[in-house]
Amino acid sequence: MQPPRISNRFRRKAGEKAVAARRDRAKTKELVASGELFFLELFDDDRKSIARMKLIDLLQSVPGVGKIRAEQILERASISPSRRIGGVGPRQIELLRKEFLLMKNSPRAGKLLVVSGPSGVGKSTITNNLRNDDRFWISISVTTRKIRPGEVNGIDYHFVNDDEFNEMIKADEFLEFAEFAGGRYGTPRKAVDKALAAGKNVILEIELNGARQVRKSSKDAIMIFIEPPSWEVLKNRLSNRGTESEFSTQARLDRAKEELSAASEFDHVLVNHEVEQSVSELVSLALR
Ligand code: 5GP
């Protein structure tokens, strides 16, 4: 039988498409290599050109991963070396994510710092001082609590409703999540992984139950507890904030007692006498 005739016009179009796809793939590899794009994000990319890219080529673009390391990663995750991005299933993506966490000792990966301590102790004032420091990246949590005057959605928190929070739990999008004083709070996992891969020291400013979850799942996280100079100082700070209802202030004070008694579970305890001092202690813990 004669092969079907292909018109010149069709051939030209196919050729142009192939060139565009190659360009897409080359650009994508560059972005991954520079740390601007985290390789796990490509599994959510629905471009055909990306779906057809070989997984091994993508892995080799990740900073700190060469040919041999990429082959070892595929072998440990039982993924064939010829597999393309579009053919990688959710279970294998999860294995690759875990492999990436193991790669954290590569020289470019940042450290994961958990900053915890009772509400009102000054955690966000301390971490806000590092927002413009490019060695650090401060995680933006997702919360169901009401936005306070002066807060900005997407900067202070990602504010969501209960259904949206439940969806994120179902899709396993949280590194940790917990309930606090009537609201729910969670750390989006992908953004944290991406910042670590880009070599940032990532700061999670979270309450005790979330900190305990991170300690379990990320063994090399640096756990830092912030203490107030005294109970009186904490009580005054919380009561004078003026942003919470009486119910929420009381709930926060009750929780504070429980949290303070857990300080010994942490690797380091900083007493927040003075913000500048606390910031520099935090920086030296991160960079040593
Ligand atoms: P606030 O409502 O005052 O902003 O936060 C209340 C408490 O929730 C604080 O102790 C804060 O550190 C903590 N928090 C903020 N984001 C998260 C998060 O993503 N996970 C957990 N577990 N706690 C969080």
Side-chain angles (χ1 to χ4, degrees), residues 5-168:
R5 288 180 61 150
I6 301 172
S7 76
N8 281 343
R9 201 168 136 259
F10 181 84
R11 222 179 253 140
R12 199 173 53 241
K13 272 230 163 309
E16 283 165 8
K17 266 195 185 162
V19 170
R22 269 203 298 278
R23 209 183 298 129
D24 260 6
R25 287 197 283 268
K27 180 80 202 144
T28 301
K29 281 195 246 172
E30 261 173 43
L31 289 173
V32 171
S34 68
E36 273 172 77
L37 188 64
F38 180 40
F39 81 99
L40 286 179
E41 282 180 287
L42 289 166
F43 296 109
D44 296 331
D45 193 319
D46 48 19
R47 279 175 296 171
K48 258 202 192 133
S49 55
I50 301 302
R52 292 198 47 75
M53 182 172 174
K54 279 208 176 147
L55 179 60
I56 191 146
D57 290 343
L58 169 65
L59 286 177
Q60 284 185 66
S61 318
V62 175
V65 180
K67 185 165 183 287
I68 293 178
R69 203 151 183 198
E71 284 169 354
Q72 288 169 339
I73 292 171
L74 290 186
E75 201 180 317
R76 279 199 294 268
S78 309
I79 301 176
S80 143
S82 60
R83 185 62 57 88
R84 293 175 193 272
I85 292 181
V88 182
R91 205 184 57 84
Q92 290 171 324
I93 294 175
E94 187 49 28
L95 287 172
L96 289 172
R97 204 184 73 77
K98 293 217 170 99
E99 281 289 340
F100 161 72
L101 291 176
L102 290 176
M103 286 188 308
K104 263 204 316 197
N105 293 334
S106 70
R108 291 211 52 211
K111 292 180 187 156
L112 182 59
L113 299 144
V114 174
V115 175
S116 200
S119 174
V121 78
K123 300 186 295 274
S124 20
T125 317
I126 296 170
T127 54
N128 277 340
N129 273 269
L130 296 170
R131 275 193 195 273
N132 296 324
D133 184 327
D134 357 301
R135 296 168 299 181
F136 293 91
W137 183 82
I138 299 159
S139 163
I140 303 173
S141 297
V142 175
T143 185
T144 62
R145 86 140 157 74
K146 284 213 186 80
I147 188 163
R148 291 177 189 148
E151 283 183 329
V152 179
N153 191 9
I155 293 191
D156 297 287
Y157 281 104
H158 299 289
F159 292 93
V160 298
N161 61 32
D162 262 317
D163 289 343
E164 288 166 323
F165 200 93
N166 287 338
E167 280 304 312
M168 291 185 76

Side-chain angles (χ1 to χ4, degrees), residues 119 148 180 185 241 244 248-256:
S119 174
R148 291 177 189 148
F180 186 92
Y185 298 78
R241 239 186 195 180
E244 299 324 306
S248 174
T249 304
Q250 193 51 52
R252 281 162 193 262
L253 279 169
D254 293 343
R255 269 293 271 268

Side-chain angles (χ1 to χ4, degrees), residues 228-288:
S230 70
W231 174 250
E232 281 310 307
V233 170
L234 184 71
K235 212 167 123 188
N236 288 340
R237 277 198 201 147
L238 265 178
S239 314
N240 296 336
R241 239 186 195 180
T243 52
E244 299 324 306
S245 64
E246 216 169 283
F247 167 79
S248 174
T249 304
Q250 193 51 52
R252 281 162 193 262
L253 279 169
D254 293 343
R255 269 293 271 268
K257 287 198 180 136
E258 186 192 331
E259 299 218 352
L260 284 171
S261 65
S264 61
E265 294 176 25
F266 287 73
D267 303 323
H268 307 277
V269 177
L270 299 186
V271 182
N272 188 21
H273 289 288
E274 212 252 311
V275 174
E276 253 176 52
Q277 177 64 25
S278 303
V279 173
S280 72
E281 284 178 36
L282 182 61
V283 171
S284 56
L285 285 176
L287 303 183
R288 69 188 187 158

